[in-house]
Amino acid sequence: MKLILTNEVSGLGTPGDIVEVKDGYGRNYLIPRGYAMRWTRGAEKQIETIRKARDAREIRDLGTAKEVAGQLGALRVRLTTRAGESGRLFGSITTGDIADAVKAAGGPVLDRRRIEIVNAIKSVGSHRVTVKLHPEVSASIDVEVVAG
């Protein structure tokens, strides 16, 4: 099955890429979740629009990505949220919360889809998250979660 990716899919491609996948993977996973759309001649004309939107969000070059990684490394990110007596949060911290906290701490504006949380943040304390800034550059951020 031939598809056009509308979102970044790990191990498959970036928005605007035309990929060939198994029918079931495309029909049951990629298309229903909005990660891809069927390839047609009309849809192929939309690729340029998808690529322009991606370029606007993406960090341009390796040097800029390393500079942003340096900024993130020096940043102290602190999130205040509701928690119970034992330090367990009511809910969990999302990538959107982290992106907002980085911006509030004076850091660069980050796309929440580039932030990777390995284990769900559901407790008060210090946690480490990774941000993929560029295919070759990743930065780690220490996020301190405090009860408020």
Side-chain angles (χ1 to χ4, degrees):
M1 171 180 272
K2 203 170 185 181
L3 298 174
I4 300 171
L5 295 178
T6 55
N7 285 332
E8 185 170 341
V9 179
S10 183
L12 194 58
T14 57
D17 290 349
I18 299 173
V19 294
E20 188 79 32
V21 296
K22 299 269 185 177
D23 290 346
Y25 182 52
R27 190 174 50 247
N28 298 327
Y29 182 75
L30 295 174
I31 294 173
R33 286 183 170 79
Y35 295 150
M37 60 186 190
R38 291 185 184 274
W39 178 89
T40 61
R41 287 195 187 110
E44 192 168 14
K45 293 176 185 171
Q46 293 177 341
I47 290 174
E48 193 59 37
T49 307
I50 293 169
R51 287 193 178 141
K52 283 181 185 175
R54 178 184 68 187
D55 289 343
R57 281 194 316 265
E58 206 169 79
I59 294 175
R60 293 282 178 220
D61 59 357
L62 189 61
T64 308
K66 287 183 180 178
E67 183 180 313
V68 171
Q71 290 175 359
L72 290 174
L75 205 60
R76 283 186 41 136
V77 178
R78 186 181 180 115
L79 272 164
T80 305
T81 187
R82 293 180 46 213
E85 293 289 324
S86 63
R88 188 141 174 90
L89 302 181
F90 297 128
S92 64
I93 301 297
T94 65
T95 57
D97 296 334
I98 294 171
D100 293 341
V102 167
K103 184 178 175 186
V109 176
L110 297 175
D111 185 4
R112 66 177 177 77
R113 291 171 285 206
R114 301 249 181 230
I115 299 172
E116 297 174 349
I117 301 174
V118 178
N119 296 327
I121 300 175
K122 294 185 177 188
S123 63
V124 172
S126 183
H127 302 275
R128 184 174 289 277
V129 297
T130 305
V131 181
K132 285 193 73 151
L133 299 168
H134 191 269
E136 299 172 21
V137 179
S138 292
S140 291
I141 305 173
D142 288 321
V143 178
E144 185 181 345
V145 179
V146 293

